[in-house]
Amino acid sequence: MHSLRYIILLILLASLLISSCAASDIPRTPEEIREVAKAVLQEEILLFMEAGYSSGETSDLHRNDLRYAARNYPEYPRRIVDTTGKTITIVRPLERIVAYNSHWVTPLNQDEKIVGVASSAVSEEIINPHVVGKINIGGGGPNMPDLERIYACNPDAIITYVTLGPGDEFFVDKMPKSVKVIRMDFLEPAYVRDEILKIGYLLDCQEEADAYLAWHDSYVREITKRTAEIPDDERIRVFIDVGSTGGADRRTAPTGTYMSTHCVDGGGINIAADLITGSTGVVNTEWIAFENPDAILALCYGAGYGVDDSRDLTEHYRDITSHQILSFTPALQEDRVYIISYRYAYGLEYPAALATIAKWFYPDRFADLNPQSIHQEYIDRFIGADYDVTARGVFAYPNVG
Amino acid sequence: MSGMDITEIRNHYSGYVRRKWLLIGFSVILILLLSAFAVSLGSFKLSYSEILMIIASSFASEPTTIEEYVIMTNRLPRIIFAMMAGFGLAICGTVMQAVLRNPLASPFTLGIASAAGLGAAIAFILGAGIGTGMYLVIGNAFLFTLIASGLVFGLASIRGITPGSVIMAGIAISYLFSAMTSFVQYFSAAENLQMVVFWMLGSLDKANWEIITATGIILLITCPYLFWKAIDLNVMGAGDECAKSMGVNVKRVRLSCLGLTSLITAGIICFTGTIGFIGLVAPHITRMMVGGDHRFLLPAAGIVGAVLLVAADAAARNILPGQVLPVGIMTAFFGVPFFLYLFIRRGSGDW
């Protein structure tokens, strides 16, 4: 059992090392880009020749690709490893992108490269200005996008999720080989930085990526630095609630989920962190009462930018607080039940959501933080929409300044 | 036939009846012991004496301590509701198999599961229906099961409420409601869809004293009639013509039994989600143990259903510490091996 733990720990450490190395390997300066382009081009030319004359390993690039790569050298080819671990090599600027996952588009100012977007983005046009005039390819949530509309976009790349939506069997297998399918989430705090750096390099928008990351880091690093200083015995124990079907059993989020990362980054201890293997599990309210959490952090699949009444959040709050068995926990006795909208917690605005969570957990330590102003700063700087977060939308309950 | 023979047959029959009642009595003891064991399982470690004290004190006052809430609002309602739901679904399955003369009949033959699923999906996804909060889903599930039953009876009555017409109408309605559920789900957000899926897996987590009272009233009203019709169900097993010749109003019995089983099923699954397996297999398990006489089969099947569901829920709550597994899955894990064991031991393909 112990050896298994060590193996898991080693694998985790190795993956952390690999990911940090991968992040640091992403070319940023013109020289670095040229060096990578040179190495990739050399490798691909050799592979191509080997495949042609020696029946050796097949090249990732075809004759036309190599022609483009040579023509666009030294800016191209560019190569990344996407979040699924797949190597993506592009030989020319991507100009017609179907963004099934479009969280990154407006913040990185890449609106003009987008030709198709998912229905889920169109439904929130108010905060997604990049969707205007683009082809709606359908999909979003559990629904599949319309393949023929994607064909109609005549894309040179599709950017889609890793953990959501259809996978390679839909996009890769049904697309011409020339269409690059790049899978990144732009949702998970643990690797969102890496994804922003990679997309910035791939689409030649490093400045925008750097600007976003500077804003991101200024808050996330400050918050995590302060929470790291909290002694273990002062950290609050948190139950993460991700809904129920109306009864005494509640769904929760273990380690490895977005909400668990938010909770830990915000200085909390997720009481169900190691209870469940997988992305979600169900626990009984008796177990929650037994664990006696100091706070309950609930994710509500409602509210967001296009909603102006807080009913979804307050109903979720009432659903939790109506369990009499939980009334004995410090969480309910001290009224520390916090509800956050998924639309706020998941996305590139998440530093504001993290600030909200940290301030909920430790109001004294984060008294100087103003999550709403962080959120507004994100909207103003990276979305550019005429949207006042203090007057519109519902993101968290109870509200923090 | 000599007087000795008649006495011997009488004694033999008395012994037969005694054995059946003994078996039912044993099952009652088993469910009580199992419930006592189940109520002691959970995150809070409470001794039997503490549990008894808590239950006794609850008659005098409302719960005030966390231990009292653990027993009186969490474990006990869940176990009692599991007993009632298992009992009701198993009886419904037994009656359905008898009146439709079909071993694959269950409370869901009439499309009830699909209808309840549609009601729940509409509540979760569209937020529309009768009631608010938790009762929106329950109200919708109940309403739609009754609508499905009404449609099945309406369609089947065109062909004279025969087993074939009821099953055909049930299949048609079941597919129709399933398709409508899929249609609603297709336009759902992922998170709402997840809620529907969780609901459909079945759970006893909504159990509370109000729900127990409501379900109890339905069972108290309906079960005596079904028990009263046990002999008619026995006779109907020989065929409609035979039953008619023996004075049974087949159409009325069939219609009333189907109507009442629909009501019981609706009254249970609107709270639990679709726990379909109990109603299908508990009657078969019981039939292998007590035979096909519905005077014994009905109560015994009910108790076996209760045993299965209480055991499955206790396992679902405790097999992985802290976690709750879907009870619908656990009932199959418990029931199928037992069913197969009896099936192989019995060695007959008859049902």
Side-chain angles (χ1 to χ4, degrees):
Chain A
M1 197 65 189
H2 280 293
S3 57
L4 186 67
R5 279 185 191 168
Y6 285 127
I7 291 168
I8 291 169
L9 202 64
L10 275 173
I11 292 170
L12 278 173
L13 280 171
S15 59
L16 277 173
L17 274 172
I18 290 166
S19 59
S20 60
C21 288
S24 61
D25 282 351
I26 298 166
R28 298 170 71 88
T29 63
E31 292 72 32
E32 287 171 350
I33 290 169
R34 189 170 56 239
E35 281 306 307
V36 171
K38 189 174 162 187
V40 171
L41 197 54
Q42 282 173 348
E43 183 190 339
E44 290 298 333
I45 288 171
L46 286 172
L47 281 173
F48 183 79
M49 291 171 69
E50 212 176 309
Y53 298 104
S54 317
S55 305
E57 195 178 345
T58 311
S59 165
D60 189 33
L61 302 181
H62 297 282
R63 180 184 294 272
N64 270 345
D65 294 328
L66 287 174
R67 189 174 293 141
Y68 278 118
R71 193 178 297 160
N72 292 311
Y73 183 82
E75 272 79 35
Y76 293 85
R78 297 186 182 210
R79 175 172 282 176
I80 61 156
V81 176
D82 75 2
T83 309
T84 62
K86 188 172 64 181
T87 301
I88 307 286
T89 309
I90 60 164
V91 293
R92 55 181 167 169
L94 296 176
E95 287 163 349
R96 297 186 62 81
I97 299 172
V98 167
Y100 192 66
N101 173 355
S102 62
H103 294 280
W104 55 277
V105 175
T106 303
L108 299 192
N109 197 21
Q110 298 300 297
D111 302 30
E112 78 285 357
K113 291 178 183 164
I114 305 303
V115 285
V117 289
S119 281
S120 48
V122 177
S123 65
E124 282 205 313
E125 187 184 318
I126 194 167
I127 206 68
N128 291 322
H130 63 267
V131 303
V132 177
K134 305 298 187 314
I135 296 174
N136 180 350
I137 62 162
N143 303 323
M144 300 296 262
D146 185 335
L147 201 59
E148 294 198 12
R149 288 196 202 168
I150 300 176
Y151 291 146
C153 292
N154 189 25
D156 45 26
I158 297 171
I159 297 182
T160 182
Y161 296 93
V162 180
T163 53
L164 302 173
D168 280 356
E169 75 287 348
F170 184 87
F171 288 115
V172 176
D173 299 351
K174 293 179 179 173
M175 285 291 138
K177 281 206 166 22
S178 58
V179 178
K180 301 289 177 188
V181 177
I182 303 158
R183 296 182 64 190
M184 293 183 180
D185 277 326
F186 301 103
L187 293 171
E188 167 57 72
Y191 50 80
V192 70
R193 282 193 98 263
D194 204 20
E195 292 180 330
I196 291 286
L197 281 171
K198 285 177 179 175
I199 205 75
Y201 159 64
L202 209 61
L203 300 186
D204 200 16
C205 54
Q206 289 101 322
E207 271 183 36
E208 290 87 345
D210 287 344
Y212 172 78
L213 289 177
W215 174 81
H216 168 278
D217 292 350
S218 67
Y219 293 110
V220 173
R221 287 197 173 149
E222 176 60 23
I223 291 167
T224 50
K225 187 180 138 224
R226 286 200 218 174
T227 55
E229 289 164 1
I230 300 169
D232 283 351
D233 58 351
E234 287 180 27
R235 284 176 185 269
I236 64 167
R237 298 175 70 255
V238 181
F239 173 72
I240 299 172
D241 181 280
V242 287
S244 78
T245 55
D249 296 343
R250 313 290 312 182
R251 283 166 49 216
T252 190
T255 297
T257 58
Y258 310 151
M259 281 306 286
S260 187
T261 309
H262 285 324
C263 171
V264 174
D265 286 350
I269 297 169
N270 176 6
I271 60 171
D274 303 318
L275 183 74
I276 293 149
T277 49
S279 60
T280 185
V282 177
V283 297
N284 189 260
T285 41
E286 181 184 334
W287 179 84
I288 305 170
F290 182 74
E291 290 294 325
N292 208 25
D294 301 309
I296 295 175
L297 174 64
L299 179 75
C300 176
Y301 290 107
Y305 291 96
V307 179
D308 284 333
D309 81 69
S310 59
R311 193 178 55 193
D312 288 336
L313 302 186
T314 52
E315 272 182 9
H316 199 135
Y317 176 85
R318 273 197 293 274
D319 183 31
I320 293 170
T321 53
S322 65
H323 289 286
Q324 290 168 316
I325 196 171
L326 298 179
S327 64
F328 294 88
T329 62
L332 263 70
Q333 284 178 343
E334 293 163 22
D335 198 18
R336 302 194 73 182
V337 177
Y338 310 120
I339 320 291
I340 196 158
S341 166
Y342 80 113
R343 194 57 197 82
Y344 185 41
Y346 294 177
L348 295 190
E349 62 273 67
Y350 94 88
L354 179 61
T356 304
I357 292 168
K359 194 163 181 174
W360 272 336
F361 288 178
Y362 304 101
D364 296 336
R365 289 176 187 271
F366 292 98
D368 58 325
L369 267 190
N370 186 338
Q372 278 190 333
S373 73
I374 300 172
H375 195 182
Q376 190 62 54
E377 189 186 351
Y378 171 80
I379 301 286
D380 295 342
R381 279 187 62 188
F382 299 105
I383 302 296
D386 180 19
Y387 191 96
D388 180 356
V389 296
T390 59
R392 301 171 69 184
V394 179
F395 306 100
Y397 181 87
N399 221 339
V400 284
Chain B
M1 195 177 283
S2 69
M4 190 60 189
D5 287 341
I6 291 172
T7 311
E8 203 174 302
I9 290 169
R10 221 173 246 157
N11 287 341
H12 181 75
Y13 181 72
S14 299
Y16 167 82
V17 170
R18 205 179 306 119
R19 280 197 302 279
K20 304 288 178 196
W21 284 119
L22 268 175
L23 202 63
I24 292 171
F26 170 75
S27 304
V28 170
I29 293 168
L30 181 68
I31 184 67
L32 291 176
L33 288 175
L34 184 64
S35 303
F37 177 63
V39 85
S40 72
L41 300 174
S43 299
F44 285 83
K45 302 299 168 209
L46 299 169
S47 66
Y48 282 109
S49 58
E50 285 174 311
I51 293 168
L52 280 173
M53 290 275 286
I54 287 169
I55 294 171
S57 69
S58 72
F59 290 109
S61 62
E62 291 287 309
T64 50
T65 66
I66 193 161
E67 288 79 11
E68 287 174 350
Y69 275 106
V70 164
I71 297 298
M72 299 309 299
T73 67
N74 194 50
R75 293 188 204 169
L76 204 55
R78 194 167 178 133
I79 290 163
I80 292 174
F81 187 58
M83 287 166 69
M84 293 168 74
F87 185 85
L89 290 172
I91 283 184
C92 290
T94 312
V95 171
M96 296 284 280
Q97 288 170 11
V99 296
L100 299 179
R101 294 203 303 275
N102 189 318
L104 293 178
S106 79
F108 297 155
T109 304
L110 303 184
I112 286 174
S114 315
L118 175 63
I122 287 174
F124 280 125
I125 294 165
L126 306 178
I130 51 173
T132 55
M134 179 177 100
Y135 292 97
L136 176 67
V137 180
I138 292 169
N140 267 22
F142 188 74
L143 179 69
F144 276 79
T145 48
L146 294 186
I147 290 172
S149 306
L151 284 172
V152 170
F153 293 145
L155 286 169
S157 65
I158 297 169
R159 301 283 297 268
I161 310 279
T162 61
S165 67
V166 173
I167 290 171
M168 291 298 281
I171 289 171
I173 293 299
S174 179
Y175 275 100
L176 176 67
F177 277 80
S178 291
M180 288 162 78
T181 307
S182 303
F183 183 76
V184 174
Q185 286 178 332
Y186 185 78
F187 295 101
S188 155
E191 49 283 359
N192 290 333
L193 188 65
Q194 213 172 22
M195 301 282 266
V196 178
V197 171
F198 268 88
W199 188 86
M200 285 183 171
L201 287 173
S203 171
L204 296 165
D205 73 329
K206 291 174 201 68
N208 61 36
W209 297 110
E210 288 80 37
I211 286 173
I212 287 170
T213 308
T215 312
I217 289 169
I218 291 175
L219 289 175
L220 277 175
I221 291 170
T222 53
C223 286
Y225 178 84
L226 296 174
F227 290 150
W228 179 47
K229 290 292 168 189
I231 293 175
D232 288 357
L233 296 177
N234 286 345
V235 176
M236 283 167 70
D240 286 4
E241 293 308 316
C242 188
K244 276 178 197 166
S245 72
M246 294 174 83
V248 176
N249 187 336
V250 172
K251 193 174 174 183
R252 190 198 295 162
V253 172
R254 182 167 287 138
L255 198 60
S256 58
C257 285
L258 288 175
L260 292 181
T261 52
S262 300
L263 182 65
I264 295 173
T265 311
I268 292 169
I269 67 166
C270 67
F271 299 120
T272 62
T274 44
I275 305 175
F277 182 76
I278 298 275
L280 179 65
V281 167
H284 287 292
I285 290 174
T286 317
R287 203 174 281 115
M288 291 176 198
M289 294 192 296
V290 302
D293 187 340
H294 286 85
R295 289 174 302 160
F296 310 110
L297 180 60
L298 279 176
I303 296 166
V304 168
V307 168
L308 272 177
L309 199 50
V310 171
D313 184 57
R317 284 186 296 123
N318 295 284
I319 213 161
L320 293 176
Q323 292 190 58
V324 183
L325 300 175
V327 73
I329 296 171
M330 295 311 294
T331 49
F333 283 161
F334 270 76
V336 169
F338 190 47
F339 172 76
L340 289 176
Y341 168 75
L342 288 173
F343 178 72
I344 292 163
R345 276 285 303 273
R346 196 164 176 260
S348 165
D350 299 336
W351 60 284

